[in-house]
Amino acid sequence: MAAKKLNIKDKYRLLTRDLDWDFSYQDRKDAFPFEEFEGIKITDWSKWEDPFRLTMDSYWKYQAEKEKKLYAIFDAFSQNNGQLNISDPRYVNALKIFLTGVSPLEYQAFQGFAHTGRQFGGVGARVACQMQSIDELRHVQTQVHAMSHYNKFFDGLQDWSHMHDRVWYLSVPKSFFNDARAAGPFEFMVAIGFSFEYVLTNLLFVPFMSGAAYNGDMATVTFGFSAQSDEARHMTLGLEVIKFLLEQHEDNVPIVQKWIDKWFWRGTRLLTIVAMMMDYMLPNKVMSWKEAWEVYFEEAGGALFKDLARYGIRMPKYADTIEKEKEHVSHQAWWTFYTHGHAAGFHTWIPTDEELDWLSEKYPDTFDKYYRPRWELAKEMEARGERFYTKALPQLCTTCQIPMLFTEMDDPSQTCYRDSVYNGDRYHFCSDGCKDIFDDEPEKFVQSWLPVHQIFQGNCGGPGVEDILRDYYQMNVGVDNMDIKGSPDEERWKKWKGVA
């Protein structure tokens, strides 16, 4: 009699769950020492479900097929001088931010999921984390390969890993993952698997990939599409983590809620740079940050948290504050980078008249009132040869490490400023959300490596700005940074296009 063919569920269990073993001469708690110290209670690991039920043989087959297609398109893009098809040299600066600020996070995610998966007693969770870890490693590799083509023709992409570790504004994404990876395994899964991958990832990837498509960058679009099937699994894992924890024990609910509050806030602070990219850095714009937030969080996220309400989970704390901030954060961030353009690793510029009109249309209640006059003044100053630069180093938030650029949402003429005293030292914050996070874990955040503090302590090269940029950040001063107007990037572009 022929052997019965296994169905997908049985095959998955045989090749994953049944590979686990019982401990005979060692205590199981010693094998998984981080499983209990966060206070999370797991009663039955077998309740962990993976809707995809991928086995490793299937996983490698699917990924290999995607790789063949992806690199064929990369080759075609390179052979056809794809850099000539992008809309404007300004667009490449969005890629510089992505390569230096986002791609290294994929590598941190690879390391984080590899470590976290080892800490779970349940084999289903371990297999899921292993696959996501490999996915994240693949993502950083494909992103670097896609953008290596631009490195041949534009400045500022040549030392992305070094910049990520040292440049002042890149401490924001770096500290985000450092915080997550320094947490316990369950908090890491809530932070990255749920709060970022499930709740906020569409606000990162959709604007970048759509922006690439609108601006003729088919290499970036292609790696985005290639990653989407991975992201579908990641989002499913993130949701499964939350439901699994909430169903295991009622004592898990307040712990998970606290983590959701924390990582929702940290994630939205990180996405400030995406808001700036959407509203100011894309020559051909897709939608405004305000519109993206309304679609991908207020509508989609609102439905998600209604679903989670039956477990006792509410909307993240300060969601109402973020709803107000959607009118302001992109404008405040771009103004900060414009006035610190001499110290950034990409070019900055004043929006054109058409772009100012677009912003007025997208932000009818706030832009003309608070921000358009600022850009009009900047344009007048530049015309007089008095291009404005901020010469002082900014105060940084101890938690998110963003400069104090945000305002009080009920009074945008006042900078939002909070502080706490711990062990006799005063620490500064950009918001109530960041202050709450610090006050809950002060021992962790007093160790924040704040670039401005390090510069003043003499730990970042020589005493002058150029010494720091050249020797510590390894930027080509005046080439990688400053204004787009008259830059080598713009001059090459004009030559390629035959523009006088």
Side-chain angles (χ1 to χ4, degrees):
M1 181 177 175
K4 180 182 177 182
K5 185 176 180 180
L6 296 175
N7 61 36
I8 293 176
K9 188 172 184 178
D10 290 339
K11 184 179 179 183
Y12 170 75
R13 180 170 294 279
L14 181 66
L15 294 176
T16 57
R17 307 299 179 90
D18 292 345
L19 296 178
D20 201 14
W21 61 87
D22 294 324
F23 292 84
S24 57
Y25 60 89
Q26 288 290 345
D27 189 332
R28 189 173 184 85
K29 290 184 179 180
D30 292 336
F32 303 104
F34 296 148
E35 195 172 276
E36 295 183 359
F37 89 98
E38 295 168 291
I40 292 292
K41 297 176 180 177
I42 304 299
T43 58
D44 185 0
W45 272 111
S46 69
K47 298 296 185 184
W48 179 285
E49 288 293 338
D50 179 0
F52 287 90
R53 296 196 177 96
L54 265 182
T55 55
M56 291 310 297
D57 57 340
S58 299
Y59 175 83
W60 292 119
K61 176 184 174 183
Y62 297 147
Q63 298 301 75
E65 290 174 356
K66 290 194 294 185
E67 293 289 271
K68 288 179 185 177
K69 297 173 184 177
L70 176 63
Y71 282 92
I73 295 174
F74 284 174
D75 288 343
F77 185 82
S78 177
Q79 291 167 14
N80 288 281
N81 287 318
Q83 80 281 358
L84 299 180
N85 296 321
I86 60 172
S87 58
D88 188 289
R90 292 184 302 167
Y91 165 75
V92 179
N93 293 282
L95 295 183
K96 295 175 186 179
I97 285 184
F98 194 97
L99 183 63
T100 58
V102 178
S103 295
L105 300 188
E106 304 271 20
Y107 191 77
Q108 287 217 54
F110 148 67
Q111 294 175 307
F113 278 100
H115 169 75
T116 299
R118 166 60 184 82
Q119 308 308 324
F120 289 141
V123 67
R126 294 205 297 270
V127 170
C129 287
Q130 178 189 8
M131 290 186 186
Q132 177 148 356
S133 176
I134 300 169
D135 284 344
E136 304 293 2
L137 181 60
R138 173 179 177 264
H139 291 178
V140 68
Q141 291 171 338
T142 56
Q143 288 165 20
V144 171
H145 286 156
M147 284 178 267
S148 65
H149 178 77
Y150 291 100
N151 185 45
K152 301 173 186 175
F153 304 101
F154 294 94
D155 298 302
L157 297 104
Q158 72 279 355
D159 216 355
W160 55 274
S161 181
H162 179 90
M163 289 178 66
H164 178 77
D165 288 341
R166 298 194 176 198
V167 175
W168 59 278
Y169 56 90
L170 296 174
S171 72
V172 175
K174 185 168 181 280
S175 71
F176 176 90
F177 252 92
N178 285 350
D179 187 358
R181 290 182 59 197
F186 289 110
E187 183 179 348
F188 179 88
M189 293 301 292
V190 173
I192 307 304
F194 177 72
S195 295
F196 200 77
E197 291 279 9
Y198 194 90
V199 180
L200 298 172
T201 194
N202 282 334
L203 283 157
L204 172 65
F205 264 86
V206 175
F208 262 110
M209 301 314 137
S210 300
Y214 271 59
N215 288 275
D217 177 12
M218 298 315 297
T220 297
V221 174
T222 306
F223 86 59
F225 279 136
S226 183
Q228 269 313 108
S229 59
D230 299 339
E231 294 299 335
R233 278 187 287 107
H234 300 176
M235 293 175 73
T236 304
L237 173 60
L239 188 58
E240 171 58 28
V241 169
I242 287 292
K243 291 187 175 180
F244 174 75
L245 292 179
L246 297 175
E247 290 170 353
Q248 284 294 298
H249 201 286
E250 61 184 11
D251 290 353
N252 295 343
V253 175
I255 301 173
V256 170
Q257 181 68 65
K258 183 179 78 167
W259 288 340
I260 290 174
D261 292 344
K262 172 185 175 180
W263 289 102
F264 169 79
W265 185 260
R266 291 226 61 186
T268 54
R269 274 290 181 255
L270 178 63
L271 291 176
T272 298
I273 206 162
V274 181
M276 177 185 83
M277 182 272 298
M278 292 182 69
D279 284 347
Y280 285 88
M281 300 186 73
L282 295 179
N284 295 336
K285 303 186 191 305
V286 182
M287 64 173 73
S288 69
W289 169 251
K290 177 183 175 182
E291 292 169 323
W293 182 259
E294 290 170 349
V295 170
Y296 294 113
F297 181 77
E298 291 181 11
E299 294 180 19
L304 166 66
F305 283 100
K306 283 181 182 177
D307 183 45
L308 293 177
R310 69 178 187 268
Y311 295 101
I313 294 296
R314 54 167 170 74
M315 280 287 281
K317 192 177 182 182
Y318 298 120
D320 55 337
T321 302
I322 297 293
E323 188 174 343
K324 296 176 183 177
E325 285 192 341
K326 70 188 178 187
E327 294 274 357
H328 301 278
V329 292
S330 66
H331 317 302
Q332 294 172 1
W334 185 246
W335 177 255
T336 300
F337 276 107
Y338 174 76
T339 59
H340 290 81
H342 56 298
F346 56 90
H347 303 300
T348 56
W349 56 86
I350 296 172
T352 64
D353 292 339
E354 292 77 15
E355 289 168 336
L356 291 175
D357 291 341
W358 183 85
L359 290 165
S360 295
E361 177 188 340
K362 296 298 181 181
Y363 297 90
D365 299 327
T366 53
F367 186 74
D368 285 350
K369 182 177 181 180
Y370 297 110
Y371 304 107
R372 186 165 191 142
R374 189 180 297 179
W375 290 115
E376 300 287 0
L377 176 61
K379 193 183 302 182
E380 292 174 12
M381 293 177 67
E382 187 179 61
R384 295 197 303 265
E386 300 172 358
R387 199 311 195 168
F388 178 71
Y389 291 105
T390 299
K391 303 212 176 147
L393 298 179
Q395 175 67 269
L396 301 182
C397 174
T398 301
T399 301
C400 71
Q401 305 200 15
I402 296 177
M404 301 294 205
L405 59 93
F406 302 103
T407 63
E408 301 284 359
M409 287 302 105
D410 296 325
D411 183 6
S413 66
Q414 295 296 316
T415 299
C416 186
Y417 177 91
R418 303 290 185 269
D419 66 275
S420 290
V421 175
Y422 180 74
N423 284 348
D425 291 323
R426 189 174 301 277
Y427 298 88
H428 309 281
F429 311 99
C430 68
S431 57
D432 291 315
C434 284
K435 174 178 163 57
D436 282 354
I437 293 169
F438 175 91
D439 289 343
D440 186 59
E441 301 176 276
E443 300 90 348
K444 186 175 194 178
F445 290 98
V446 295
Q447 303 174 64
S448 296
W449 195 94
L450 301 176
V452 170
H453 292 194
Q454 298 299 320
I455 288 170
F456 279 132
Q457 291 173 33
N459 297 328
C460 301
V465 172
E466 283 206 14
D467 299 314
I468 295 166
L469 298 177
R470 183 183 61 247
D471 300 333
Y472 190 70
Y473 293 169
Q474 294 186 8
M475 290 182 191
N476 296 313
V477 180
V479 176
D480 294 344
N481 59 351
M482 307 294 282
D483 285 347
I484 186 70
K485 187 183 294 184
S487 69
D489 283 352
E490 186 185 54
E491 295 304 318
R492 291 189 200 102
W493 177 257
K494 288 180 177 178
K495 186 176 180 181
W496 292 334
K497 292 292 188 179
V499 178

